[in-house]
Amino acid sequence: MAQAHLELQQSFETLETEKAQMLQEKVQLEQALEALKQENDKIQKEMEALKEPVANQKTETLKVSQNKTAYLTFDDGPSSNTIKILDILKKYEIKATFFVIGSETESSKKIYRRIVEEGHVIGNHTYSHNYNKIYASVENFMEDIWKLEALLEEVAGVKPKIIRFPGGSKNQASSRAGGKGLMADLITRLQEEGYQYFDWNVTSKDASAVTPDKEIIVRSVLEGIQGKKEAIILFHDNAPKTTTVEALPEIIEALLEKGYKFEVLSETSYYVHHR
Ligand SMILES: [Zn+2]
């Protein structure tokens, strides 16, 4: 009997020891679980933090794509095409920038006035557009600018502070006529006098031939604007550029479809300077 009692006693003690061990293990497991939970929380928070900038970036991109601006610019007018261009712009209710040259015929004077009256902007493209003359010296260039300025003020009441260099600011003719440093001197002088000059970042290639194929013009603009939030588009407004006029509605509709709004250039607007 005593023997049996002793054995029972021993097995009870063994059980007690095992129970204590199990309790200890349970505590250890609970601690490990708690540690895992904390680790999990930390990772979750880190993941949330990582998500946020990505979400912000997406919003930014969306904002950018909703704010695309096209600046239609027409050089060398007035011409027999200007009225057709103005009629098209009126139909679509959009405004453009005309870098005009000097012409004192009655029809030209009417065109200068109509450009202004219909809310478009006139820029100065020099009076004579004669490369050899205007690019011979800074003084020659400024005189030509002022001559057109005086005409525009008298006829249309505007004194444009925005300029487009004939041939753009990176043309070869200016260094041939006035030397290598001429363009840099011109730019400095214009800026001192409060003018801003504009090149372009999209060309319609309507100067690639006397009268290029309409399709070349449309394709060139649509390829050129790809990926551009701001597009200053170069067109020409002189008599042979009939296909520029023909291409215009298609180009405007495509730009509208791609979410572009149309703006005019100003001293404070977006600009492109060729380097
Ligand atoms: Zn020109």
Side-chain angles (χ1 to χ4, degrees):
M1 206 39 204
Q3 180 66 30
H5 180 76
L6 186 66
E7 274 171 20
L8 262 176
Q9 183 69 30
Q10 276 172 348
S11 62
F12 179 73
E13 273 168 20
T14 312
L15 277 171
E16 280 292 298
T17 314
E18 275 173 15
K19 188 185 162 196
Q21 275 171 359
M22 280 170 78
L23 271 173
Q24 209 179 342
E25 273 168 30
K26 190 187 164 211
V27 169
Q28 278 169 358
L29 276 171
E30 274 171 358
Q31 280 171 351
L33 186 64
E34 187 55 33
L36 276 172
K37 268 188 193 161
Q38 278 174 10
E39 184 68 13
N40 189 40
D41 279 356
K42 203 176 134 199
I43 289 168
Q44 287 283 351
K45 274 180 195 153
E46 279 171 1
M47 278 171 69
E48 285 304 314
L50 277 173
K51 262 189 218 160
E52 260 174 52
V54 175
N56 283 345
Q57 273 170 15
K58 269 188 190 154
T59 320
E60 275 309 305
T61 317
L62 209 64
K63 256 188 226 159
V64 166
S65 63
Q66 281 170 345
N67 271 319
K68 293 191 287 191
T69 310
Y71 305 86
L72 304 181
T73 68
F74 299 91
D75 286 11
D76 304 345
S79 81
S80 49
N81 290 318
T82 320
I83 286 167
K84 293 174 200 157
I85 294 170
L86 286 169
D87 287 344
I88 293 168
L89 297 174
K90 193 184 232 172
K91 184 186 159 202
Y92 289 96
E93 297 182 324
I94 62 181
K95 307 299 175 201
T97 306
F98 292 81
F99 287 101
V100 299
I101 60 172
S103 169
E104 306 203 23
T105 64
E106 282 315 306
S107 64
S108 290
K109 289 179 182 176
K110 258 191 203 163
I111 289 171
Y112 294 135
R113 275 195 288 271
R114 186 176 157 191
I115 292 173
V116 174
E117 280 165 9
E118 296 189 355
H120 306 289
V121 162
I122 287 188
N124 195 324
H125 195 44
T126 74
Y127 188 96
S128 72
H129 203 275
N130 178 333
Y131 284 40
N132 288 331
K133 187 184 161 198
I134 60 175
Y135 291 133
S137 70
V138 172
E139 280 316 308
N140 273 20
F141 186 88
M142 292 314 298
E143 271 169 27
D144 219 80
I145 287 288
W146 291 327
K147 190 175 177 188
L148 179 57
E149 202 172 276
L151 173 66
L152 291 173
E153 190 173 21
E154 186 201 318
V155 169
V158 292
K159 246 180 124 176
K161 284 309 218 184
I162 65 170
I163 282 175
R164 177 168 279 152
F165 290 108
S169 71
K170 222 186 150 190
N171 69 77
Q172 303 299 311
S174 64
S175 43
R176 275 200 300 274
K180 250 188 152 208
L182 179 81
M183 190 48 78
D185 293 344
L186 277 180
I187 289 168
T188 306
R189 179 66 184 271
L190 286 176
Q191 286 169 343
E192 278 168 9
E193 305 249 2
Y195 294 95
Q196 171 65 294
Y197 71 96
F198 293 86
D199 290 312
W200 53 91
N201 58 0
V202 178
T203 172
S204 65
K205 290 196 184 143
D206 64 353
S208 60
V210 177
T211 307
D213 226 41
K214 177 194 136 187
E215 289 313 317
I216 291 175
I217 299 170
V218 173
R219 200 185 324 128
S220 175
V221 172
L222 296 191
E223 282 173 9
I225 58 155
Q226 277 180 34
K228 290 196 179 75
K229 187 180 165 267
E230 314 253 14
I232 299 184
I233 309 169
L234 172 69
F235 295 98
H236 290 88
D237 169 17
N238 47 42
K241 305 300 177 193
T242 51
T243 46
T244 301
V245 177
E246 287 166 21
L248 201 53
E250 207 171 318
I251 289 170
I252 291 170
E253 280 170 31
L255 289 172
L256 286 170
E257 208 169 287
K258 288 174 193 298
Y260 281 87
K261 61 187 172 60
F262 293 84
E263 295 280 351
V264 292
L265 296 174
S266 76
E267 300 110 280
T268 54
S269 71
Y270 175 77
Y271 62 85
V272 170
H273 291 167
H274 292 162
R275 310 244 166 229

